[in-house]
Amino acid sequence: MGLRRRTFLGLATAMGVAALTGSNSELALARDSGKTLTFGLSANVGNLVYGPSRGAAQFIVNQQLHRGLVKFDENGRIVPALAESFEAVDPSTYRFTLRDGLTFHDGSPITSATVKASLDYLANRSVGAAIYAALSTLASIETPDARTVVIKLSKPNASFLDYLADPNAGISPASALASGAANWIGAGPFKLQANDSGVSLTLAKADTYYDKDNVALASIKFIYYPDSTARTNALIAGDVQMIDFVGWEDFDRVEADKKLVLDAVPGPFVYMLFNTERAPFDNPKVRQAVAHAINRENVVAAAFYGHGTPLNGIPVSPGNDRFDPKMGELWTYDPDKARALLASAGVAKGLKVSLLTSSTYSFFRDMALSVQADLQAVGIEAELDAPDWPTYTASKNSGKYGLAVAGGAPSVTGPVYLQAYVVGAPASSFGSYGYNASDIVAHIQAGEALSNDAAARAEYMKAVDIIRDAVPFLPVAQRSQAFARSNTVEGFKNLPGFLSITGTGYMLEKTSIR
């Protein structure tokens, strides 16, 4: 289940790894001097809305303002958050005991009824919540008293707690439980102080936070730098002390500066989405054609300056007990096969499609340009649509595209994460618009319910076989993901793998400034 948070920190110090969180004297100094961390953020977070995934920048802000029942620690383990403790009563039932006296930033209480209302809202398919896949098997939520929550699933889900640690799963007040409603009031370590729309966002330490004594910073000022080069320049010039999404072209520049620290890990993956509700991508043969048309080596070179790995199938951590190498061997770069598939689908000549990307992230643009050239080579003319990030996410989630470039950072490392990627909006903001792969999901959930890893792998492979032919989404490459900071900033750690996006934001509450 994971150690209780304070117990773990005590053990960590005893084991000589206090460097991960900063020494006690440094934490005290940061608190007493009221230091503010200036953070160059890669995108304007816009209006925070509860539930849907809206990108890495909002993940980071969400993790400061909000808290769920559980969270990830610096080792990527699940530990208690708003829940003081939790247990698996049986493979389909979880009991959580809330901390005593929990409140939101505005002082309103958080009880078991608050938790139930939030999770019931996220379980509504029309919300498009990032963790809908996990809550789609929700059978009931019982609240026997104000501090006890019992969640029962209709079938076992071995990764259920990982989903509850997702940045989009923070417990929120009733005012946020409506489509389009603002979600700025939370139960996290920091609260909203100032919002200079489109320019910056300032958060102050929240006295209501259950672990406020271990929050080192007095405040965090997020300054928006959508341009990757400008963001790195701001760090080098000392205008900010930390940045996210270091441009791959800037890795060498950051590493060459002795006053800076580059923290890079193998991280998320990029992929293509299809609008499956309209031609031509309602035809799986056309989606297969795209799968064979893209030169993934070129994408890695163009978008990530070589700091990445081509994906010819489903990305799953090789260290996961349920990984099968065949999951990564689904499609090959074969333009001739792509042309033949298009001819078989009856769209061999003059096919024009829209390709949604974003001007906010340079790698999205560069990936789209590489894909555009590959599609042109097999007879598909793709017209680029590259709005800013808020407009991009709105277009993606409402199906205003033919093809779309996307990035993925699941909260879980096993094949179960695929549930969110094979079901499209409005049920999931990760998947292709209009796609609902109930057959794939059924096999994934069947595998998740099995305790035997070999039997589970066999069930997952049934799902992967369908993915190979149906191409509900198309993985393209896994990228290196980096934060960079001044060497005076301590206690921060970039979590590896998918957690670089969905877990690293939790590290800011343990960050201090020397």
Side-chain angles (χ1 to χ4, degrees):
M1 184 182 75
L3 295 171
R4 290 191 180 187
R5 188 159 180 267
R6 294 187 180 183
T7 303
F8 169 72
L9 289 177
L11 289 174
T13 302
M15 292 169 66
V17 294
L20 292 176
T21 55
S23 72
N24 291 335
S25 61
E26 288 168 341
L27 292 178
L29 176 63
R31 284 196 296 268
D32 294 342
S33 59
K35 292 186 177 180
T36 296
L37 175 70
T38 52
F39 193 119
L41 196 62
S42 56
N44 177 1
V45 298
N47 185 35
L48 291 186
V49 176
Y50 190 40
S53 174
R54 298 185 183 276
Q58 281 205 359
F59 286 1
I60 292 172
V61 172
N62 267 335
Q63 285 161 315
Q64 312 321 309
L65 291 172
H66 298 286
R67 272 297 174 272
L69 293 172
V70 295
K71 66 173 187 174
F72 295 108
D73 72 3
E74 54 265 47
N75 296 305
R77 298 188 305 180
I78 297 295
V79 295
L82 296 185
E84 179 180 74
S85 63
F86 56 87
E87 64 174 327
V89 179
D90 59 50
S92 301
T93 306
Y94 296 83
R95 178 185 289 113
F96 301 85
T97 300
L98 300 180
R99 298 176 190 273
D100 192 24
L102 289 172
T103 69
F104 289 113
H105 297 151
D106 63 0
S108 57
I110 300 172
T111 68
S112 58
T114 316
V115 173
K116 174 176 168 55
S118 286
L119 296 182
D120 280 341
Y121 179 77
L122 297 179
N124 184 334
R125 190 176 189 275
S126 65
V127 170
I131 68 164
Y132 171 76
L135 293 176
S136 64
T137 58
L138 179 64
S140 67
I141 301 177
E142 299 174 0
T143 55
D145 58 57
R147 292 182 57 199
T148 304
V149 180
V150 180
I151 300 175
K152 296 184 177 181
L153 307 177
S154 61
K155 59 182 70 176
N157 183 340
S159 301
F160 183 67
L161 292 173
D162 293 55
Y163 280 108
L164 292 186
D166 187 284
N168 302 288
I171 303 305
S172 292
S175 60
L177 310 186
S179 178
N183 189 31
W184 293 99
I185 297 173
F190 296 91
K191 62 183 178 180
L192 179 64
Q193 183 178 71
N195 188 356
D196 187 358
S197 182
V199 178
S200 65
L201 181 70
T202 303
L203 308 181
K205 180 179 174 180
D207 289 336
T208 54
Y209 185 51
Y210 66 84
D211 199 23
K212 63 182 179 181
D213 291 343
N214 285 316
V215 176
L217 297 169
S219 59
I220 302 174
K221 183 173 184 178
F222 293 105
I223 305 172
Y224 304 137
Y225 289 92
D227 181 79
S228 174
T229 300
R231 197 160 58 249
T232 301
N233 288 342
L235 178 68
I236 292 173
D239 296 333
V240 297
Q241 297 157 301
M242 181 181 291
I243 62 174
D244 70 326
F245 259 108
V246 182
W248 295 268
E249 68 276 17
D250 289 329
F251 276 28
D252 291 343
R253 276 209 299 154
V254 172
E255 288 187 306
D257 192 323
K258 295 182 179 180
K259 300 189 299 296
L260 303 179
V261 176
L262 181 75
D263 193 348
V265 298
F269 67 99
V270 289
Y271 59 103
M272 304 298 299
L273 293 175
F274 308 90
N275 187 328
T276 63
E277 285 201 340
R278 64 177 190 232
F281 298 115
D282 57 343
N283 187 331
K285 287 186 177 181
V286 180
R287 301 196 296 268
Q288 288 178 34
V290 173
H292 291 288
I294 295 176
N295 185 326
R296 292 158 177 79
E297 295 279 359
N298 285 351
V299 169
V300 170
F304 307 120
Y305 291 75
H307 298 289
T309 304
L311 291 174
N312 294 308
I314 303 301
V316 178
S317 171
N320 187 276
D321 291 336
R322 300 188 168 190
F323 171 75
D324 187 316
K326 298 187 189 70
M327 294 176 181
E329 302 168 358
L330 304 185
W331 308 286
T332 58
Y333 173 53
D334 190 340
D336 289 336
K337 186 171 184 177
R339 295 185 190 96
L341 284 163
L342 289 173
S344 177
V347 292
K349 296 181 180 179
L351 179 58
K352 295 183 179 182
V353 301
S354 63
L355 174 53
L356 178 66
T357 182
S358 175
S359 59
T360 298
Y361 294 114
S362 60
F363 75 94
F364 262 46
R365 178 200 62 221
D366 294 340
M367 176 181 169
L369 289 171
S370 183
V371 168
Q372 183 186 44
D374 291 338
L375 295 178
Q376 183 70 42
V378 300
I380 301 175
E381 183 179 339
E383 181 178 357
L384 264 57
D385 178 17
D388 61 15
W389 190 253
T391 305
Y392 160 85
T393 56
S395 296
K396 178 172 69 72
N397 292 342
S398 61
K400 295 179 181 177
Y401 65 90
L403 271 172
V405 172
S411 300
V412 294
T413 58
V416 67
Y417 84 83
L418 290 169
Q419 290 182 100
Y421 288 80
V422 298
V423 176
S428 169
S429 54
F430 292 108
S432 292
Y433 189 79
Y435 200 91
N436 191 351
S438 57
D439 51 351
I440 300 175
V441 171
H443 287 302
I444 293 170
Q445 292 184 351
E448 198 67 6
L450 296 171
S451 58
N452 180 278
D453 288 336
R457 275 194 299 272
E459 199 66 45
Y460 292 137
M461 282 307 301
K462 294 176 184 177
V464 171
D465 286 343
I466 299 172
I467 290 173
R468 180 194 59 226
D469 297 331
V471 199
F473 78 112
L474 182 63
V476 175
Q478 187 170 29
R479 66 181 192 252
S480 181
Q481 184 78 14
F483 289 79
R485 63 184 186 275
S486 163
N487 59 15
T488 62
V489 175
E490 299 183 338
F492 181 85
K493 178 183 178 182
N494 188 6
L495 301 187
F498 296 161
L499 293 181
S500 177
I501 293 288
T502 56
T504 299
Y506 287 121
M507 299 301 102
L508 287 179
E509 73 174 276
K510 289 301 178 185
T511 297
S512 61
I513 302 172
R514 180 161 46 85

